[in-house]
Amino acid sequence: MITSNKQEDQSDVKFSDNPIELIQTLKNQTGKDIWLVGGGKAVHTLMDKNLVDEFIITIAPIVLGSGIKLFQGQQADLVQTKINAFNQFTQIHYRIKE
């Protein structure tokens, strides 16, 4: 988990204030996918280092008015892979085209 608040690691959860180092370490290990639930700042940081393979974007029908943009001046060639609709939400899956 990426956080600016100091946390102690748990058996199945690692905490880090350095998202690049954490994701690079995890990508070099064998195992399952890495799931990042977070805001635009974390996404921007990881996209800048080409550490994002897939996006799952959930659209909720709420107008916030302002906030951190998901793609702030960054570009990615995305391929849509799946769409799910549940309750009032729509979830769109994209992978980054290689």
Side-chain angles (χ1 to χ4, degrees), residues 49-97:
K49 298 295 182 182
N50 296 318
L51 292 172
V52 178
D53 301 318
E54 179 181 16
F55 288 98
I56 302 171
I57 300 170
T58 302
I59 301 168
I62 297 172
V63 177
L64 298 176
S66 65
I68 298 169
K69 294 178 181 179
L70 181 58
F71 301 106
Q72 182 113 8
Q74 295 156 316
Q75 292 188 344
D77 195 2
L78 303 177
V79 177
Q80 182 181 304
T81 59
K82 184 162 79 171
I83 297 176
N84 295 323
F86 52 98
N87 299 324
Q88 73 270 29
F89 304 106
T90 302
Q91 195 173 65
I92 307 170
H93 294 236
Y94 295 98
R95 69 175 167 75
I96 295 186
K97 191 174 184 179

